[in-house]
Amino acid sequence: RRQTLVDAALAGELSVDDQDGGTFTISNLGMFGVSRFNAIVNPPQAAILAVGAIEDRVVPRNGKPIIAPMLTLTLSCDHRVVDGARAAQFLQTLVALLEEPLAMLD
């Protein structure tokens, strides 16, 4: 079923019924050069992750400024469904996996 949905999405052929019943959305405006944004949860979903553009930013590393590619992730949650502390833990885990993708193999 998953592969059928992936194929339909890649072909731009998802129906409304195919998209019904979701609990989580990822909204990527980074590909349009949007640095950061706040996405609005679509009921009855529980959360939506907003993904901004990857941009070079000055960040501290070992006490010195360096330029590194960075992006902004913003998680919006329906707090009737998702506890804020759990949402923060989710973001911490996601960031850790994005920063060290080989950790996903463990």
Side-chain angles (χ1 to χ4, degrees), residues 69-91:
M70 307 285 284
L71 66 81
T72 299
L73 300 172
T74 305
L75 182 65
S76 300
C77 300
D78 181 340
H79 285 269
R80 296 170 296 181
V81 180
V82 178
D83 179 81
R86 293 282 185 207
Q89 290 172 335
F90 168 79
L91 278 177

Side-chain angles (χ1 to χ4, degrees), residues 47-67:
I48 185 166
L49 181 69
V51 180
I54 298 172
E55 301 174 315
D56 285 339
R57 296 186 192 153
V58 178
V59 295
R61 178 94 24 100
N62 298 323
K64 297 186 179 184
I66 66 161
I67 297 174

Side-chain angles (χ1 to χ4, degrees), residues 1-100:
R1 172 84 174 125
R2 184 192 64 80
Q3 189 60 54
T4 300
L5 289 172
V6 168
D7 292 343
L10 292 172
E13 298 172 351
L14 280 178
S15 70
V16 173
D17 289 338
D18 289 332
Q19 300 173 63
D20 190 39
T23 57
F24 187 89
T25 297
I26 298 174
S27 182
N28 178 8
L29 294 181
M31 63 188 158
F32 298 110
V34 176
S35 297
R36 60 189 58 83
F37 64 102
N38 295 319
I40 298 171
V41 179
N42 302 306
Q45 296 191 358
I48 185 166
L49 181 69
V51 180
I54 298 172
E55 301 174 315
D56 285 339
R57 296 186 192 153
V58 178
V59 295
R61 178 94 24 100
N62 298 323
K64 297 186 179 184
I66 66 161
I67 297 174
M70 307 285 284
L71 66 81
T72 299
L73 300 172
T74 305
L75 182 65
S76 300
C77 300
D78 181 340
H79 285 269
R80 296 170 296 181
V81 180
V82 178
D83 179 81
R86 293 282 185 207
Q89 290 172 335
F90 168 79
L91 278 177
Q92 285 178 325
T93 301
L94 178 60
V95 167
L97 291 171
L98 290 172
E99 289 177 343
E100 296 292 337

